[in-house]
Amino acid sequence: MNFKELGLTGKTLKAVDELGFEIPTQIQEKVIPHILGYEGDIVGLAQTGTGKTAAFGLPILERIQIKGKNVQTLILCPTRELCLQITRDMENYSRYIQNLSITAVYGGAGIVPQMRAVRKGTHVIVATPGRLLDLINRKVVNLGTIQYLVLDEADIMVNMGFKEELDAILETAPEERQTLLFSATMPEEVAKIASKYMKDPTEIIAGQKNSGTANVEHKYFMVHAKDKYLALKRIADFHPEIYGIIFCRTRVSTQEIADKMIKDGYNAEALHGDLSQVQRDYVMRKFREGNLQLLVATDIAARGLDVNHLTHVIHYDLPDELEIYTHRSGRTGRAGRMGTSLAIINMKENYKIRRIEKTVRRKITAANVPLGKEICEQQLMHLIDRVKAVEIDSNQISPYMGVIEEKLATLDREALLKHFVSLEFNHFLNYYQNAADLTPIVRKKKKDKPVKNIRVVKEKKKDESVRKDSVESGYSYLVLNLGKKDQILPPQLIGLINQSTRNRYIKLGRIDIAASRSRIQVENYYLDEVCDALSGYHFKGKNLSIEKEVTKKRVGDKRRKRRKNKPAKKHRLSL
Ligand code: AMP
């Protein structure tokens, strides 16, 4: 079956083609003809990643009457992120339908622009329940002309306490409408909504859940609870190209793990509900754009994040509900690529793995935490591959070749290779040289029984501490005299640097904003440029003062010292 055979036509088909959707997913095969054929209400059991947005979005867009700008479709969803994601998807699907208007309506943002957009006339509203009800009560939104009402992620809306708002909204929608409810699970509250507000709905199951597909490999690492973080670092180090989400159970643990990872030099950030909307948007954008390798997130906060090419999903904490494991794992192995779902469990959680295996109907294989030696080999091969793949601009390099050859004349090929590999690689060798095996060894012989059948090879302290104070490799912190008191946020700080340097290639890392100062990681190469550029700048009338942060000695300092021949001097600019 292709999309044309499902009944899509002209402009929608062209958009689908351009988006690279070749084969409809299972839910699309069932839902698209159903909506196009006006076959009544649907209850769809489907999760994120099954293609459900296109399943309801494409046929609905085919049915919109462009003449007359009354609201014809309402899509309700639980979070602002999901609301924006669905709006983006709908805009993509309707890119060739002229004069079609889609409006996102969500809390945590100014209501006035949203009111203005709705009043101008819109065909589709994508909304979170609270803000929509507000607009209904203000008589800005009138649901009287609705033909399609979609409830997306209904179980989450109920879990988040939107039941009353949903009741109020559904009461005001006209009788003559098609209602489409999508939910990953079917708790009682959702079933009640379906029976109260829907007419003889057809139940459609998305079939195989994403994580159960052949595209996701499931593994688990069993370690002592105290070694979980070390195991996480080793997994990240063993996969230099990792691009994944690390799921934690609570907001506090999410922040803690992210903080530790950042401190230890990983390209990681936290995403959870305690962050402000601006911070969440910033982190999600960074992750979506591929400028962030590891996102440490809670399940709820990661909801609206739709990224197709994740290599890994890591369950740092196993979820309480089994369905959530499926949800999380379904975020990898998409768009025809392979993905890996890794759980790090403690010694008492083995039974949970067995239960999850039954739910996903897939074997979750036990794996050993990579050894230091294996990680070093992996990293070394990655370095060599990068060297082989790097693009060489001969024109730019040629003028320097004479000097380079002269300087390296005393080194033969072997020595040269050793020097170059050591330069990049010494810190990994140092870090892992005494690192022990983290996988507890099960002794099968009876005589070993006294230690409960398990012996743990102790991790040397060194493993934990070496990278403790390090910033991202190749970056240093600048400290700026602007902070929360000045109402500065990461996007403004980035804007300030962009404006003052006019150099869009400057690479920034982590940004920490305290009460009256901010720390910004800047790639070493650009440190002086940023310092100089901010000279003479002011923010909201305040003169800026900026300095390089003096960091404690850490792995890699030796290297820097050798290069510069003298330690970095504290550099202060009074601006
Ligand atoms: P959803 O379940 O709606 O969140 O969709 C998951 C992802 O799959 C989105 O990034 C879609 O763009 C993508 N997608 C949806 N349908 C298809 C399809 N038929 N082929 C390939 N990718 C798709």
Side-chain angles (χ1 to χ4, degrees), residues 164-318:
E164 273 178 30
E165 284 85 349
L166 288 178
D167 280 329
I169 294 166
L170 286 158
E171 298 287 353
T172 72
E175 284 273 308
E176 288 310 306
R177 61 160 200 259
Q178 201 169 339
T179 308
L180 314 162
L181 181 150
F182 294 91
S183 197
T185 56
M186 196 46 65
E188 207 184 324
E189 292 290 346
V190 177
K192 272 189 198 158
I193 292 177
S195 70
K196 190 168 173 193
Y197 297 106
M198 298 175 76
K199 287 181 218 137
D200 192 18
T202 305
E203 201 173 290
I204 290 180
I205 297 172
Q208 274 209 329
K209 290 163 183 168
N210 229 342
S211 60
T213 66
N215 288 351
V216 183
E217 188 185 11
H218 298 260
K219 289 186 190 173
Y220 73 94
F221 300 92
M222 189 163 62
V223 293
H224 283 279
K226 68 172 178 49
D227 288 335
K228 276 178 78 174
Y229 179 66
L230 287 178
L232 174 65
K233 289 206 305 180
R234 290 204 184 181
I235 292 165
D237 287 343
F238 190 70
H239 298 100
E241 295 283 338
I242 192 169
Y243 177 42
I245 306 181
I246 299 162
F247 284 101
C248 298
R249 201 181 294 126
T250 66
R251 296 169 184 198
V252 173
S253 62
T254 301
Q255 190 62 56
E256 271 174 16
I257 297 301
D259 285 346
K260 277 191 191 177
M261 294 212 82
I262 293 161
K263 218 172 171 192
D264 286 344
Y266 295 89
N267 181 10
E269 291 276 5
L271 182 71
H272 55 73
D274 283 344
L275 301 177
S276 72
Q277 193 57 57
V278 176
Q279 286 170 315
R280 271 186 279 163
D281 287 348
Y282 167 73
V283 170
M284 287 208 256
R285 197 172 53 246
K286 201 169 157 191
F287 190 60
R288 252 188 230 112
E289 288 171 357
N291 294 323
L292 183 66
Q293 257 189 302
L294 292 166
L295 184 72
V296 190
T298 58
D299 291 289
I300 297 272
R303 277 279 158 170
L305 190 68
D306 187 36
V307 182
N308 265 343
H309 304 308
L310 294 188
T311 59
H312 288 78
V313 160
I314 299 178
H315 312 265
Y316 188 79
D317 294 318
L318 280 177

Side-chain angles (χ1 to χ4, degrees), residues 9 12 31 44 61 150 156-157 160 187 195 215 237 244 266 285 359 368 376 415 493 521 535 542 549 554 557:
T9 59
T12 335
V31 171
L61 288 167
V150 181
I156 305 292
M157 286 200 274
M160 287 176 74
S195 70
N215 288 351
D237 287 343
Y266 295 89
R285 197 172 53 246
T359 311
N368 291 340
C376 287
L493 257 182
Q521 273 187 15
S535 164
K542 179 170 178 174
E549 185 178 79
R554 59 176 196 267
D557 278 356

